[in-house]
Amino acid sequence: RWESFEKWAIGQQLVESADSIAATIIEGYYRYTEGEQRKFFQYSLSSAKETMLWLWRSKERGLINEKEYQRIKNELDQLIPQTIKFITQLQQKKI
């Protein structure tokens, strides 16, 4: 239901950053060195924070309402600490 410009300018960024969270963790998981893994896991967290930014911009520009914003934000607020915990546990196992 978004206009073409909003879909391209914000919607695409929002979807790509959200999809990148899990994809980057998986990519990092299969890297050979701890340094590479750590780098990809940090990218994943950056994608989560970027998703928060695009979500906020969507709300500020009136593309989503407050209820939709809060629902998705609450999920991200849970996902980010879970991602940090997951990464910490993986690194403690010295994968």
Side-chain angles (χ1 to χ4, degrees):
R1 62 190 164 139
W2 291 7
E3 295 295 323
S4 180
F5 176 77
E6 287 84 3
K7 284 181 189 176
W8 179 81
I10 296 177
Q12 183 175 345
Q13 294 292 330
L14 178 61
V15 170
E16 286 179 6
S17 63
D19 288 349
S20 179
I21 299 167
T24 307
I25 287 176
I26 291 172
E27 188 173 356
Y29 183 83
Y30 290 100
R31 293 294 167 152
Y32 294 105
T33 67
E34 288 181 38
E36 282 184 302
Q37 290 172 341
R38 202 170 16 261
K39 179 172 65 172
F40 277 85
F41 294 156
Q42 290 169 346
Y43 292 158
S44 176
L45 287 173
S46 294
S47 292
K49 293 292 187 174
E50 181 184 355
T51 303
M52 289 287 262
L53 170 68
W54 291 116
L55 179 65
W56 175 79
R57 285 196 174 160
S58 298
K59 180 187 71 123
E60 290 299 306
R61 294 183 183 178
L63 301 172
I64 60 174
N65 63 37
E66 183 67 30
K67 185 177 179 181
E68 291 171 314
Y69 170 77
Q70 285 300 326
R71 181 182 61 79
I72 299 168
K73 183 181 179 303
N74 289 342
E75 289 181 28
L76 285 168
D77 285 342
Q78 292 176 20
L79 176 67
I80 291 170
Q82 289 172 350
T83 303
I84 292 168
K85 182 178 178 181
F86 173 73
I87 291 167
T88 302
Q89 288 173 341
L90 287 176
Q91 290 178 334
Q92 288 173 349
K93 291 180 182 180
K94 304 239 186 238
I95 49 175

